[in-house]
Amino acid sequence: MEKIDKTKEMLALISSSVHDMKAPLTTIGGFIEAVLDGTAKGESARHCLETALSETNRLTNIVNELLDVSKIEAGAVNYDMKPTDICECVRKIIISLEGKINEKNLDIDFSCTRDRIKANADEPSLTRALYNISENAVKFSPAGGKISVLVSETENGAKVSVTNEGEPIDKTDIGHIFEPFYRSKRKEKASGSGLGLYIAMQTAKAHGGGITVTSEECGKTEFVFEIRNGGTK
């Protein structure tokens, strides 16, 4: 029975992902065709190619997330836990999101309770998970809004808090947003595969911790990612 349920879930994931891929593929094909047949020239052609590149990156992200999920489900992820500077890790993520932050004119308040906060972590997977959470904060923030990111040391590890202003998460969605096949109202308004938070939660668990989320009606949403030393070896 469990095997049948797993198969159904994987088929649902494939179906959802194929649906997510159709739009960018159509866009890429349309813009490339416009350049090749001469409909788009000069700056217009450049715009077409830039858009095609952006959609290609979007497709790559969906494929990478599908590969991550398949590895997680198969228990085939190898985590190389090493002492990692969590502050530096988060700082790099914020820098990588600078373009999207500037587009929306967001105010970023980033702080660490100490200059260096180290915890045992697999840096590549941790970076992807925290990037997903941080990118979500940017995505769901209103133009001119504020995002607060705080890295703090805990008794046996570290935690990263990401808080953004904007539309709250519906109470009926809170308990489901980390499920790989769940589509909340907020997810439906945004592009992407909808797998980022599931991958982030599985990564947090592999690091001995988890993710908690609170969302207030006044418009503040906080994700807290916890790392506990002694996670997956």
Side-chain angles (χ1 to χ4, degrees), residues 30-49:
F31 279 123
I32 290 177
E33 186 177 358
V35 173
L36 289 175
D37 67 15
T39 304
K41 297 176 182 179
E43 280 302 309
S44 179
R46 181 181 179 83
H47 170 72
C48 286
L49 293 174

Side-chain angles (χ1 to χ4, degrees), residues 15-27:
S15 175
S16 176
S17 299
V18 168
H19 176 76
D20 288 335
M21 289 176 176
K22 282 175 71 177
L25 281 171
T26 301
T27 301

